[in-house]
Amino acid sequence: MYSSDEIEMCSLKVLELDGSPSRMLLRLMGDRGCTLGHLIDFLQTMGQTEALQCVKPPGIQILIQPQSVAVIAGHNLRLSCYAVGKAGVQYQWFKTKEELPNRSSPDLVISPVRLTDAGFYICRVNCGDNFEFSQWAQVDVFNVATSYGEPQCHTSGQRLLVGDTLQLECGAVGRPIPRYHWHRNGVPLLFPEASKRRLLIPYLLLEHQGKYRCEISINNERTWTNEVDVFVGMYCNCPLLRCNDNTTDKVALLIGNLSYQNHPQLKAPMVDVYDLTNLLRQLNFKVVSLLDLTESEMRNAVDEFLLLLHKGVYGLLYYAGHGYENYGNSFMVPVDAPNPYRSANCLCVQSILKLMQEKETGLNVFLLDMCRKRNIHDETTPNILLKVTANIVFGYATCQDAEAFELSSSGFTNGVFIKFLKQRLLEDEKITVLLDRVAEDMGQFVATKGKQALEIRSSLSERRALTDPVLPDGGSDAGRSHSRQWAKAHELPESMCLDFDCGAQIKLGFAAEFSNVMVIYTHIVKKPEDMSFCQAHVTNLSLDLDVDPKEMNRETPEETGIYLLSSSLPQHCLYTRLSSLQKLKDQLEFTVCLQGSFKAIDELVEWTTDVNIGKPLIAKLDLHRTMRRNSCLQTCPMPHSPSQSPCHSPKPEHFHHPQDHGFLSPHCASPYLEVSTLYDNCCPSGHACVASDLANSPARASIPIETTDDISELQTVFINSLQLHHQ
């Protein structure tokens, strides 16, 4: 685990006055980002029981944790926490961070429970000078007339009109809190609101009509609500009646590049793509969202996108990452672009537009969230002849020869463009009117006023809106076939239950964070009564995915890098995040390993089973292929194109690294915007400069709801970290 030089440093350090091999080893582990949890895992693996006693909290062991529960108003609520210690233990219950008076017994009983009693509860166990907190327990209280026991559901709906708000609500009681997922016409809905007991669609379209019902699960049991027929009519003077009535489909490709190999990394593209995906799906777009694509992967993704464009189709392409603009041509920079890069290493936006023009689409929307500074290393002048056609809209996040900004934050935040776009994207307005309003909102933003302004270019001859309804059976047979293939790019494998010879049963579940990022989680459904310990994890994953073993099978989603999806994942599982699924060449096979020990035998026993889930999500499209015959590269003839003069990445010693000047050091990147000051420096690669030192930026924030004693304060801090504060 450690090099010989590091071990030698530990042995030499003991000769100094305050030296200690143990201290040096702990310092080395800390420098490598190891947490106390990692240290405990290492000690348990090595069987160092004496050392474990030194790092584990002494004296208190919580035997029974309070469990989350959903109850009906007027019934009784009981939360229990039992612990043992070297001396007598005492209890104190809290609701969020407020201490509950006269609640100092192991059982918290509220009778009758009221709607105001809903919230998060935690118990503090005291033993002498030591104390421990239990896990958090969420209490959900319903005001419905139903009986306790088997989950009883209540769903309501009504006849609505285009532009109205649809709200469906269902409630179930049980322990632990039930989980919900809404379906329309038998197909699961994919936006985050579909995983809540209240389904809210703020702006109804004709395609939202159908039969709705909710799947409710508690542990390994499932039940369904009754179906609700939602009928959507139209106002006589509805603006949609004046819209294009020949929309055959709506498709979108969203690309966010942030983990650059030879350039400073970004943060906002991940959040921007995630938010935009959820909003476009509410507008009935078929969306494929991808992170961190190489040049060949970007070209292949664009090729697949172009296959979907036919007469009457609405196509939207969004890109966030590094970029530049030379002689009126915009270039998107892949994550594997060399330093410095040129047009041969990038994708030319105008070449993609040329192909889109040949499709007779109903609407072409380009949203480019990147810098448009000139690239002094690229003197190529692409010769691209564009037709004069209608229904094209360009939304540039910034003006020509200017930068696009991120907001510097310890947490997750949008870029400036998406920060304002997502507030208006669901409005039923002509797309150019909508973007004009976004431009006005950005113009009032003090931090970027005079430094970043949205630029809109349009050739719309008719009213086109992202809310326009899709014809029920529109499009050609070929178009429908490609559309179905595109839709498969966000289809997840089915969850499955695995039975082992020892009598244990494991649930293997899957969730999609992006079209090329999937989460695998394992959950113990049942285990034999005489089994004292039981845990399941995944192993032997494909080498194509390059997964760090240290970030696999973690107890919280945040430990594996799952931040945006963590709130919708089931609890008490082991989580593994698989990114870059587009690199998967074969079907995804892996091993599920069950580890357990029995009360009579104090040793660990393993059982394994192999699982094959095929090609999940974007892996079905085989974007890993190096080049395709219909590649968009062929539409952008350039003197330095790879077919004539390949441009290879320079060796590491040829990379340009700006001198470090601390917090204000200029880096070549899509710039960060510090909370109080914005620096506008020009970099040689055509980007603007980072306004905060990436190397010194704080780690990403997370909210471990069930492992903290002050959830409200942490949530407030986290939410505030996503906003821009003025000093």
Side-chain angles (χ1 to χ4, degrees), residues 342-523:
R342 297 174 177 83
S343 56
N345 316 116
C346 306
L347 271 71
C348 178
V349 173
Q350 281 66 28
S351 70
I352 300 172
L353 176 59
K354 181 179 180 181
L355 275 180
M356 294 177 71
Q357 288 182 325
E358 299 172 359
K359 303 287 188 173
E360 298 184 15
T361 48
L363 177 65
N364 296 322
V365 179
F366 273 90
L367 300 177
L368 299 177
D369 200 351
M370 65 184 198
C371 295
R372 298 174 66 194
K373 298 289 289 185
R374 174 168 167 70
N375 183 359
I376 61 174
H377 299 285
D378 184 13
E379 294 298 331
T380 304
T381 307
N383 183 23
I384 303 173
L385 300 178
L386 297 176
K387 300 178 182 178
V388 180
T389 57
N391 302 334
I392 296 174
V393 176
F394 270 93
Y396 291 97
T398 190
C399 295
Q400 191 171 7
D401 200 34
E403 299 91 1
F405 289 95
E406 290 184 333
L407 306 180
S408 180
S409 169
S410 59
F412 295 104
T413 180
N414 293 114
V416 174
F417 177 37
I418 297 299
K419 172 184 173 68
F420 293 100
L421 176 65
K422 69 180 186 179
Q423 298 173 12
R424 296 192 176 274
L425 194 67
L426 298 180
E427 295 179 359
D428 176 38
E429 294 288 352
K430 184 178 178 180
I431 180 63
T432 50
V433 174
L434 185 149
L435 291 175
D436 278 334
R437 292 180 178 176
V438 174
E440 293 173 2
D441 296 340
M442 289 177 60
Q444 301 302 314
F445 191 43
V446 176
T448 55
K449 200 169 186 177
K451 299 179 176 65
Q452 179 177 350
L454 180 63
E455 182 177 328
I456 306 165
R457 298 181 185 178
S458 169
S459 63
L460 279 186
S461 58
E462 301 177 10
R463 185 189 190 276
R464 294 286 188 270
L466 299 181
T467 54
D468 288 348
V470 176
L471 292 176
D473 296 311
S476 63
D477 292 338
R480 284 193 292 269
S481 175
H482 290 308
S483 182
R484 284 191 296 269
Q485 179 72 6
W486 190 253
K488 286 183 179 180
H490 60 253
E491 286 183 359
L492 279 167
E494 291 285 340
S495 298
M496 58 186 75
C497 285
L498 306 177
D499 294 308
F500 290 84
D501 294 338
C502 62
Q505 187 180 71
I506 307 302
K507 180 181 179 181
L508 185 66
F510 308 92
E513 195 170 26
F514 298 91
S515 299
N516 64 338
V517 179
M518 183 177 71
V519 179
I520 302 178
Y521 56 89
T522 56
H523 176 69

Side-chain angles (χ1 to χ4, degrees), residues 397-696:
T398 190
C399 295
Q400 191 171 7
D401 200 34
E403 299 91 1
F405 289 95
E406 290 184 333
L407 306 180
S408 180
S409 169
S410 59
F412 295 104
T413 180
N414 293 114
V416 174
F417 177 37
I418 297 299
K419 172 184 173 68
F420 293 100
L421 176 65
K422 69 180 186 179
Q423 298 173 12
R424 296 192 176 274
L425 194 67
L426 298 180
E427 295 179 359
D428 176 38
E429 294 288 352
K430 184 178 178 180
I431 180 63
T432 50
V433 174
L434 185 149
L435 291 175
D436 278 334
R437 292 180 178 176
V438 174
E440 293 173 2
D441 296 340
M442 289 177 60
Q444 301 302 314
F445 191 43
V446 176
T448 55
K449 200 169 186 177
K451 299 179 176 65
Q452 179 177 350
L454 180 63
E455 182 177 328
I456 306 165
R457 298 181 185 178
S458 169
S459 63
L460 279 186
S461 58
E462 301 177 10
R463 185 189 190 276
R464 294 286 188 270
L466 299 181
T467 54
D468 288 348
V470 176
L471 292 176
D473 296 311
S476 63
D477 292 338
R480 284 193 292 269
S481 175
H482 290 308
S483 182
R484 284 191 296 269
Q485 179 72 6
W486 190 253
K488 286 183 179 180
H490 60 253
E491 286 183 359
L492 279 167
E494 291 285 340
S495 298
M496 58 186 75
C497 285
L498 306 177
D499 294 308
F500 290 84
D501 294 338
C502 62
Q505 187 180 71
I506 307 302
K507 180 181 179 181
L508 185 66
F510 308 92
E513 195 170 26
F514 298 91
S515 299
N516 64 338
V517 179
M518 183 177 71
V519 179
I520 302 178
Y521 56 89
T522 56
H523 176 69
I524 307 295
V525 176
K526 67 176 182 179
K527 65 177 183 177
E529 294 182 358
D530 59 340
M531 183 176 280
S532 57
F533 170 79
C534 184
Q535 190 176 71
H537 63 272
V538 298
T539 184
N540 296 334
L541 288 163
S542 170
L543 296 178
D544 295 339
L545 301 179
D546 192 25
V547 183
D548 186 351
K550 292 189 294 184
E551 296 182 355
M552 294 172 54
N553 304 298
R554 308 308 300 174
E555 294 183 355
T556 64
E558 289 81 9
E559 290 181 87
T560 69
I562 308 165
Y563 296 92
L564 302 176
L565 198 64
S566 59
S567 61
S568 59
L569 292 174
Q571 300 174 352
H572 312 302
C573 303
L574 293 184
Y575 309 90
T576 299
R577 184 179 189 260
L578 305 181
S579 58
S580 301
L581 289 177
Q582 75 277 4
K583 300 183 185 299
L584 191 63
K585 298 181 177 63
D586 302 309
Q587 295 185 350
L588 181 55
E589 299 182 51
F590 55 90
T591 301
V592 177
C593 178
L594 176 69
Q595 293 181 328
S597 59
F598 295 89
K599 299 176 182 177
I601 306 174
D602 190 17
E603 63 180 33
L604 210 58
V605 185
E606 288 191 356
W607 299 265
T608 61
T609 184
D610 293 328
V611 177
N612 185 330
I613 59 173
K615 288 190 173 183
L617 300 174
I618 197 65
K620 297 181 180 72
L621 300 186
D622 293 331
L623 300 186
H624 57 82
R625 297 178 184 174
T626 54
M627 188 62 65
R628 301 186 179 184
R629 289 181 298 176
N630 63 332
S631 171
C632 60
L633 176 67
Q634 297 183 4
T635 69
C636 189
M638 303 175 190
H640 302 292
S641 66
S643 61
Q644 300 181 34
S645 177
C647 182
H648 301 288
S649 177
K651 296 181 180 180
E653 60 265 28
H654 295 155
F655 290 166
H656 171 66
H657 295 286
Q659 184 178 358
D660 184 10
H661 295 288
F663 180 75
L664 301 182
S665 67
H667 291 215
C668 296
S670 178
Y672 277 72
L673 179 63
E674 179 54 24
V675 169
S676 58
T677 312
L678 182 146
Y679 301 93
D680 188 4
N681 300 319
C682 181
C683 290
S685 65
H687 306 304
C689 303
V690 177
S692 64
D693 191 349
L694 290 177
N696 297 328

Side-chain angles (χ1 to χ4, degrees), residues 185-247:
N185 298 328
V187 179
L189 301 177
L190 298 177
F191 47 89
E193 287 74 11
S195 298
K196 301 177 181 178
R197 66 183 183 89
R198 291 186 182 91
L199 175 66
L200 181 67
I201 300 179
Y203 192 97
L204 270 182
L205 303 174
L206 290 177
E207 52 262 31
H208 291 140
Q209 179 170 292
K211 297 180 180 293
Y212 288 77
R213 65 173 181 164
C214 186
E215 178 188 15
I216 303 173
S217 59
I218 300 180
N219 291 329
N220 61 330
E221 298 181 3
R222 296 192 310 170
T223 188
W224 293 84
T225 66
N226 57 297
E227 280 191 343
V228 175
D229 289 317
V230 174
F231 301 96
V232 182
M234 300 188 73
Y235 293 108
C236 293
N237 61 346
C238 176
L240 288 177
L241 289 176
R242 303 189 298 271
C243 294
N244 169 46
D245 58 355
N246 295 313
T247 307

